[in-house]
Amino acid sequence: AQSVTQLDSQVPVFEEAPVELRCNYSSSVSVYLFWYVQYPNQGLQLLLKYLSGSTLVESINGFEAEFNKSQTSFHLRKPSVHISDTAEYFCAVSDLSTDKLIFGTGTRLQVFP
Amino acid sequence: DGGITQSPKYLFRKEGQNVTLSCEQNLNHDAMYWYRQDPGQGLRLIYYSQIVNDFQKGDIAEGYSVSREKKESFPLTVTSAQKNPTAFYLCASSTQDRGSGELFFGEGSRLTVL
């Protein structure tokens, strides 16, 4: 069965530093990939998604993620973080063979001034 | 504005009482979902519905019940049979089944059982 691993439960970083949040999934069978962001006491919002085409996808607020089929990864990166990026980030994988959407356990990004 | 409305935002109940969480959407989405979120465990699917008057169990349905009498509404009842009901509950919807579509989430309901 498909599984999603977010190895880092917390990532502390200073403002304006680069950051990478890691996401690996278990099967390279046809998948769609998503990153969601959750601000405190709120629901999740879609940050970016990979369905097909270019393996590098970008969000409107400077995040990007690259689909790497050989390494079954979809890491999220930002070259310079802001205090307002402090939130929990969830990677999710849609396994098209089972039509199931599986969420990772989340990574809490804490940006310090 | 289109979106998903969950109520109440915070709820306190005594052990042994049933509780119903409301979820309403005006996005005209066919599919709706209930997730439970616990610290360090991510999101776990409780129930989902792809069409009115039909719903399926998710991964952790025991102790919960749902109904889907209207396209816009998908209430969740946390029954007294749920052994550990204190959690953050999230309702979501999508235009298609969750496998291929983006999920739109409500702001959540935090249930605390005393």
Side-chain angles (χ1 to χ4, degrees):
Chain A
Q2 182 71 257
S3 65
V4 181
T5 302
Q6 291 183 250
L7 281 171
D8 306 304
S9 59
Q10 295 187 62
V11 173
V13 64
F14 287 109
E15 196 172 18
E16 297 183 8
V19 72
E20 178 180 83
L21 307 183
R22 295 179 292 169
C23 174
N24 287 88
Y25 57 97
S26 59
S27 169
S28 61
V29 175
S30 297
V31 293
Y32 292 154
L33 299 158
F34 306 84
W35 275 100
Y36 283 85
V37 59
Q38 184 181 33
Y39 299 102
N41 292 312
Q42 291 188 24
L44 279 69
Q45 304 168 34
L46 182 68
L47 188 61
L48 47 75
K49 61 184 177 184
Y50 170 79
L51 303 182
S52 64
S54 172
T55 56
L56 184 66
V57 290
E58 298 176 353
S59 72
I60 57 172
N61 57 351
F63 282 94
E64 64 179 32
E66 185 158 21
F67 169 52
N68 188 319
K69 188 174 181 179
S70 62
Q71 298 192 8
T72 59
S73 68
F74 191 56
H75 301 331
L76 182 69
R77 302 182 182 96
K78 188 170 185 179
S80 175
V81 294
H82 191 268
I83 295 279
S84 61
D85 293 323
T86 294
E88 187 140 23
Y89 292 79
F90 291 91
C91 180
V93 177
S94 168
D95 187 330
L96 301 184
S97 63
T98 61
D99 224 10
K100 280 193 154 191
L101 180 64
I102 310 296
F103 283 89
T105 52
T107 296
R108 175 156 175 74
L109 175 64
Q110 180 76 51
V111 181
F112 295 95
Chain B
D1 274 344
I4 299 182
T5 302
Q6 288 187 241
S7 64
K9 198 168 174 68
Y10 299 95
L11 187 59
F12 296 87
R13 279 293 182 267
K14 291 183 179 178
E15 212 170 298
Q17 289 182 327
N18 288 359
V19 167
T20 296
L21 307 180
S22 169
C23 177
E24 303 277 333
Q25 55 102 355
N26 60 3
L27 299 168
N28 199 32
H29 285 169
D30 290 313
M32 296 187 74
Y33 317 89
W34 275 105
Y35 286 91
R36 171 180 171 140
Q37 185 178 14
D38 297 282
Q41 294 196 46
L43 275 70
R44 293 182 289 170
L45 183 65
I46 304 172
Y47 268 99
Y48 66 101
S49 168
Q50 294 174 252
I51 197 168
V52 174
N53 291 324
D54 188 43
F55 48 82
Q56 286 79 41
K57 292 181 179 180
D59 301 317
I60 55 163
E62 185 175 345
Y64 299 97
S65 66
V66 293
S67 62
R68 187 86 187 274
E69 296 176 4
K70 298 187 299 182
K71 186 176 184 178
E72 303 79 19
S73 179
F74 192 42
L76 173 75
T77 297
V78 185
T79 75
S80 55
Q82 168 50 233
K83 293 190 172 87
N84 185 18
T86 294
F88 190 51
Y89 291 89
L90 287 162
C91 180
S93 70
S94 70
T95 54
Q96 309 158 45
D97 189 72
R98 68 193 184 284
S100 55
E102 171 188 350
L103 293 184
F104 292 79
F105 284 86
E107 294 207 338
S109 292
R110 188 169 296 279
L111 172 63
T112 302
V113 175
L114 306 171

